[in-house]
Amino acid sequence: MANHILLNLKRAKYVLDKNWIGNFTQPSRFLYPHQWNWDSAFISIGYSHFNTKRAITELTSLFNAQWKNGMVPQIVFTKKNLGSYFPEPEIWQTSRSKFAPDNYLTSGISMPPIHAYAVLKIYENSLNKNKVLPFIKWIFPKLIKSHQYFYKYRCHDDFIYVIHPWESGMDNSPAWDNILENIDINKVTVPAFKRKDLSTDNAEMRPKDSDYTRYIYLVELFKKYSYQESKIFENSPFIVADTLFNSVISASNKALLKLAKILKNDSTEILEWDNRTTNAVRNKLYSEKDKIFYSYDLKNNSLLKADTAAGFMPLFGGIATEKQAETIYSYLNSTGFCSLLQGNCFTIPNYDTKKTDYDRKNYWRGPVWININWMLWEGLKRYAYIQKADDLARDIIQLPVRFGFFEYFDSFNGRGYGTKDFSWSAALFTDLCYEYYIKHKKNKLSKTRKILLNSIVLNNESSYAITDQKNISQLLLTKVKELKKEFYTDSGTINYQSLQKSKQYNEYKMITNSLRKFDLNMLNSENEKKAFWINVYNTVIVDSIVQSGIKTSVKEVIGLFSKCKYNIGNKLFSADDIEHGILRCNARHAFRKIKQFHFLNSKKKYIMKNLDVRIHFALVCGSRSCAPIKYYSSNNIDNDLEIATRNFINSSEVMVLPENNRLLVSSIFKWYKNDFGGKNGIINIILKYLNNEEKKEFLSNNRKKIKIEYLYYDWNLNK
Ligand code: 9WN
């Protein structure tokens, strides 16, 4: 595991420790000094990996302040910090409701109920399940009660509705603009107030005063009706079926089902909730034309057509049908939201960057938020959009590592905005690091890590498919194409499990066996050789992974690249031989001191005459950070390598950040720095292929000033 990950995990822990005040974690020490509803859930997910006790205390504190009708409040105020936030209890006056808790000061609204989801994570991540069980038993009825509250008091046409932008968690989302603008603020008296969230340099990041007037207008209205739900529904202008909120409750319903199973409790009611929400969202909030889900104004019976990240949240809730998922994915993975091949942006901004009112700095009107990315990451995995999920995960990790644990980030230059040392950024960063590195290392690698001491010949069976040597390479490549069609997903990843059991793989093996009789002298031109060896490299890796039964990462087997070999024309070739020996013209492996082929090695005669650095964007080492796998033909090899290189350099593996004088690039550039010709060479190749003219100009004018940093390499299997 990269050292910088360990170091930054420590930093994340430091942020959480600093914000922990004994029984809960402040979202941020100065801007948000009390306990927040969904923040606590995200934060507890971070703790669940290294401090179960704290994760439990965090949620226990929140649920201790649950209202008598089941509502979990948006804010639980801490007496000793009163006076530093607005609005505080004197504005909320929640004692006007008969349901307010007796011993706690809270606000009078709620937030997206992600707690059941967090509780399940705490259970799943705990090393001693029996120890956690009493907490699960304690909180389960409270979770049920909190969902009952929504389905009983806050449900209309099977939608759970929110009554305040703060309840949605996305306070000043462009989705609320129309409703808020149309509020006649003279209907209820809004007292004069003084905001506490503004400092000298953050006004352009925070909601406007006119937004705050409306936020407080709504609070005054709730007070006027003593927080009675039916009165609020009748009289308030803000009654919204929020797509994010309904997706979150749906994800939590599914978590509740799992918790009910653990506790052997009845789950009929939960199932019914989940069906109702799922159907309502699927049928009424989806716009096939716009490729997104919208929230719905229940007062005016109209869709709130703003293309925000909330519109993709039905992936998180497991609500979208496969067809809907496919459609919204095509928008989610488009340039409006920083697509996979776009490069030079961090994914995903909270609002379509192509919209005229997209605002890269302003709160919920443009920047990248870690919690939203995290939920979408979970959702994308649920629908098997693995490459995109990894892309989001990478940015959840990269953004804090490069720019600090900020509240939100600029999608184009990564700059952190809002408050510093923000708790959920630290907590969800921690979750991702555990998911991608630590857990993987502890649970999977250590148990299964094998060391290959002796060579394994992968094509050593007696069955041959062909006798006509001339056709072997052609057939092998055709078969690769066939396998690709069948088992490689659109995003360039491979479904190894089904591949291993397939008829096609058996046929493929018969061809690889025939490679033993292949006469390498038949490869005449450099192009023929290049295409042949790239394809063989990519196939020997696939075969090594399949045959050594790797489950999670090529790192499970030490020696995979050097000991798993193909017999080709009676000579054994490992992936290292092909890459460093042949294609890189007998160079050193990135982590070794000597050249691949010893001076007496008979394979030296196959070495390429010249190194074509573009091979680095075509060789696929079976990991998520590799280029997508492709078939290369000798006729088109030049063009194909041009495309592969351009794709890679314009993907998120290369980021030019003029504002910071930084160039973030894939670790491939670090390992093969010499192949590229050092720092200058790296800049040259990027300049040659980069599409973005502005960034190109910056790069060429600032060669000396620019600092190159390397992105983390994800060694998890590209399955
Ligand atoms: C109002 C605490 C909260 C988050 C919200 C975020 C912001 C509060 C505010 O901070 O809202 O709830 O004062 O702006 O919008 O999602 O829970 O981090």
Side-chain angles (χ1 to χ4, degrees):
M1 183 186 17
N3 279 342
H4 74 271
I5 294 292
L6 275 184
L7 180 73
N8 282 286
L9 265 173
K10 269 196 195 151
R11 287 193 183 135
K13 190 168 171 296
Y14 174 74
V15 168
L16 291 169
D17 282 349
K18 206 164 76 170
N19 296 346
W20 169 256
I21 60 164
N23 58 336
F24 76 88
T25 317
Q26 296 165 318
S28 109
R29 267 167 89 189
F30 302 107
L31 195 56
Y32 310 116
H34 303 287
Q35 180 169 33
W36 256 261
N37 176 310
W38 73 339
D39 296 60
S40 275
F42 293 127
I43 291 163
S44 70
I45 292 171
Y47 285 142
S48 72
H49 292 285
F50 65 95
N51 193 337
T52 315
K53 198 165 155 228
R54 233 192 233 185
I56 291 176
T57 312
E58 180 81 39
L59 289 182
T60 306
S61 302
L62 181 71
F63 275 79
N64 277 340
Q66 185 171 28
W67 282 34
K68 290 167 197 150
N69 57 3
M71 185 182 83
V72 181
Q74 168 222 13
I75 306 175
V76 183
F77 294 102
T78 328
K79 283 200 182 112
K80 75 171 194 291
N81 290 332
L82 287 177
S84 47
Y85 179 76
F86 174 83
E88 285 187 338
E90 80 279 6
I91 298 285
W92 288 101
Q93 298 176 5
T94 51
S95 56
R96 293 190 192 205
S97 163
K98 60 178 186 207
F99 295 120
D102 298 328
N103 300 316
Y104 293 89
L105 295 171
T106 75
S107 67
I109 54 172
S110 192
M111 280 197 116
I114 190 155
H115 314 94
Y117 203 82
V119 169
L120 182 64
K121 289 267 177 200
I122 295 175
Y123 180 79
E124 286 173 347
N125 292 335
S126 69
L127 299 175
N128 186 341
K129 306 263 181 284
N130 283 337
K131 258 188 151 172
V132 176
L133 218 49
F135 164 70
I136 307 287
K137 284 187 182 149
W138 176 83
I139 203 160
F140 184 80
K142 297 185 177 350
L143 291 168
I144 291 284
K145 207 172 158 196
S146 73
H147 284 221
Q148 265 162 357
Y149 161 75
F150 288 120
Y151 283 95
K152 188 164 170 199
Y153 299 112
R154 289 293 202 85
C155 196
H156 185 78
D157 282 352
D158 284 344
F159 289 121
I160 307 301
Y161 60 84
V162 294
I163 56 173
H164 197 290
W166 285 334
E167 271 200 335
S168 74
M170 288 195 184
D171 310 6
N172 68 340
S173 159
W176 321 141
D177 287 357
N178 270 344
I179 306 187
L180 294 184
E181 270 159 27
N182 287 326
I183 290 182
D184 176 359
I185 50 166
N186 298 316
K187 275 197 171 167
V188 175
T189 319
V190 180
F193 59 85
K194 190 166 173 353
R195 292 172 63 173
K196 296 241 164 86
D197 58 315
L198 295 178
S199 61
T200 44
D201 60 353
N202 74 351
E204 56 184 341
M205 301 169 199
R206 297 285 309 176
K208 301 189 297 280
D209 279 347
S210 55
D211 294 322
Y212 260 78
T213 305
R214 280 147 183 89
Y215 299 160
I216 298 305
Y217 170 97
L218 291 171
V219 175
E220 291 302 321
L221 186 138
F222 305 154
K223 275 152 59 177
K224 182 171 161 193
Y225 295 110
S226 308
Y227 291 96
Q228 289 176 69
E229 307 288 357
S230 56
K231 291 269 167 54
I232 293 173
F233 184 83
E234 250 170 64
N235 295 295
S236 173
F238 194 95
I239 304 290
V240 168
D242 173 22
T243 171
L244 180 141
F245 201 106
N246 282 276
S247 301
V248 167
I249 202 165
S250 201
S252 273
N253 280 334
K254 291 178 179 79
L256 274 182
L257 286 173
K258 290 195 181 153
L259 291 170
K261 204 164 168 202
I262 292 164
L263 298 177
K264 301 195 174 64
N265 280 12
D266 181 54
S267 50
T268 326
E269 187 182 22
I270 312 169
L271 262 176
E272 190 217 320
W273 294 334
D274 200 32
N275 285 337
R276 282 167 61 191
T277 303
T278 302
N279 290 332
V281 174
R282 271 184 189 170
N283 298 334
K284 220 165 168 182
L285 303 190
Y286 175 60
S287 164
E288 176 148 12
K289 184 174 136 278
D290 298 332
K291 302 185 169 141
I292 197 163
F293 285 80
Y294 289 122
S295 294
Y296 193 84
D297 175 351
L298 289 167
K299 271 287 148 101
N300 295 306
N301 283 322
S302 60
L303 284 173
L304 297 166
K305 291 199 163 194
D307 296 359
T308 72
F312 307 117
M313 266 328 149
L315 296 176
F316 176 57
I319 289 178
T321 62
E322 287 295 329
K323 175 86 193 5
Q324 289 174 334
E326 213 177 287
T327 309
I328 65 171
Y329 178 74
S330 67
Y331 188 20
L332 166 67
N333 188 32
S334 73
T335 49
F337 285 97
C338 181
S339 70
L340 276 171
L341 284 182
Q342 185 175 347
N344 280 303
C345 52
F346 292 97
T347 190
I348 78 155
N350 207 57
Y351 188 46
D352 185 338
T353 57
K354 299 249 169 3
K355 301 282 170 196
T356 47
D357 55 343
Y358 159 76
D359 186 338
R360 59 200 277 179
K361 286 188 183 168
N362 193 323
Y363 221 28
W364 294 99
R365 307 178 76 86
V368 178
W369 285 80
I370 299 285
N371 67 329
I372 301 297
N373 252 2
W374 184 87
M375 287 188 279
L376 285 173
W377 168 69
E378 291 274 76
L380 286 161
K381 283 189 296 174
R382 193 195 276 276
Y383 286 84
Y385 292 107
I386 301 300
Q387 201 189 4
K388 186 73 184 171
D390 287 343
D391 201 40
L392 266 71
R394 210 202 51 177
D395 286 354
I396 299 178
I397 295 176
Q398 289 301 335
L399 284 166
V401 166
R402 307 285 169 195
F403 306 96
F405 292 99
F406 275 90
E407 194 179 0
Y408 37 97
F409 301 87
D410 192 311
S411 178
F412 291 108
N413 63 23
R415 214 181 119 190
Y417 299 132
T419 183
K420 267 202 281 191
D421 294 342
F422 187 61
S423 295
W424 84 40
S425 297
L428 297 175
F429 166 85
T430 303
D431 181 61
L432 264 272
C433 290
Y434 271 84
E435 290 301 330
Y436 275 76
Y437 299 101
I438 316 270
K439 244 189 185 180
H440 173 67
K441 204 172 149 109
K442 263 197 205 145
N443 302 344
K444 295 162 188 156
L445 274 186
S446 58
K447 277 187 204 150
T448 51
R449 199 157 198 186
K450 282 196 285 207
I451 303 178
L452 296 180
L453 294 173
N454 301 316
S455 295
I456 296 176
V457 184
L458 300 169
N459 58 343
N460 215 10
E461 286 169 25
S462 52
S463 49
Y464 293 94
I466 28 177
T467 45
D468 179 4
Q469 284 195 21
K470 276 187 202 151
N471 281 333
I472 294 180
S473 77
Q474 182 62 39
L475 264 169
L476 180 69
L477 303 180
T478 318
K479 213 68 200 167
V480 171
K481 254 182 161 177
E482 220 176 284
L483 282 174
K484 176 171 156 48
K485 207 163 144 223
E486 197 73 22
F487 301 100
Y488 297 174
T489 65
D490 287 346
S491 53
T493 57
I494 303 160
N495 189 343
Y496 290 103
Q497 255 190 347
S498 359
L499 191 149
Q500 188 174 16
K501 295 183 200 129
S502 70
K503 185 171 124 261
Q504 290 95 321
Y505 181 61
N506 250 333
E507 290 165 8
Y508 163 77
K509 269 177 37 193
M510 300 223 293
I511 306 172
T512 60
N513 282 329
S514 311
L515 275 174
R516 292 187 346 234
K517 294 199 166 171
F518 184 75
D519 179 3
L520 282 165
N521 295 320
M522 285 190 336
L523 301 170
N524 290 319
S525 68
E526 286 284 289
N527 277 355
E528 266 179 72
K529 287 183 193 163
K530 212 186 286 174
F532 176 84
W533 287 114
I534 292 176
N535 288 320
V536 172
Y537 177 94
N538 289 344
T539 51
V540 80
I541 294 286
V542 174
D543 230 357
S544 311
I545 291 170
V546 174
Q547 292 201 35
S548 49
I550 282 178
K551 297 215 164 43
T552 55
S553 165
V554 287
K555 294 266 179 184
E556 274 170 36
V557 177
I558 299 175
L560 190 86
F561 295 92
S562 57
K563 300 290 184 201
C564 292
K565 296 177 178 169
Y566 270 166
N567 175 339
I568 307 174
N570 271 331
K571 289 201 165 41
L572 297 184
F573 291 89
S574 67
D576 280 347
D577 286 339
I578 300 173
E579 179 175 11
H580 313 298
I582 297 174
L583 289 165
R584 293 185 57 230
C585 312
N586 203 19
R588 281 191 300 112
H589 179 291
F591 307 125
R592 278 183 219 128
K593 289 215 164 69
I594 48 165
K595 289 185 175 180
Q596 185 66 26
F597 295 144
H598 184 263
F599 70 101
L600 288 177
N601 195 319
S602 62
K603 288 180 273 189
K604 273 180 86 175
K605 64 173 180 235
Y606 304 115
I607 293 173
M608 298 290 299
K609 283 208 184 77
N610 297 309
L611 163 69
D612 183 338
V613 286
R614 300 173 302 174
I615 56 155
H616 290 302
F617 312 114
L619 297 178
V620 183
C621 62
S623 307
R624 284 170 166 172
S625 287
C626 308
I629 198 158
K630 261 183 69 155
Y631 153 67
Y632 293 86
S633 81
S634 56
N635 296 338
N636 274 331
I637 183 83
D638 199 50
N639 193 35
D640 286 349
L641 285 177
E642 280 297 288
I643 296 173
T645 309
R646 189 167 290 281
N647 282 346
F648 195 88
I649 284 180
N650 288 288
S651 78
S652 50
E653 293 295 338
V654 173
M655 301 229 185
V656 187
L657 304 175
E659 290 82 349
N660 319 82
N661 278 325
R662 281 152 122 180
L663 174 61
L664 308 188
V665 291
S666 158
S667 291
I668 289 178
F669 289 98
K670 176 171 66 188
W671 300 325
Y672 303 111
K673 200 168 178 176
N674 287 343
D675 288 7
F676 290 105
K679 181 181 174 186
N680 253 331
I682 295 176
I683 294 180
N684 285 345
I685 192 166
I686 293 175
L687 277 175
K688 182 165 177 206
Y689 293 96
L690 194 67
N691 293 335
N692 186 313
E693 290 300 330
E694 260 171 60
K695 304 231 165 172
K696 249 167 118 157
E697 199 184 316
F698 168 78
L699 251 189
S700 66
N701 293 338
N702 294 281
R703 277 176 180 273
K704 289 231 168 75
K705 239 181 21 195
I706 211 140
K707 193 171 161 257
I708 299 188
E709 287 174 36
Y710 300 96
L711 296 162
Y712 89 92
Y713 200 83
D714 183 355
W715 284 104
N716 280 306
L717 216 52
N718 60 344
K719 58 182 176 184

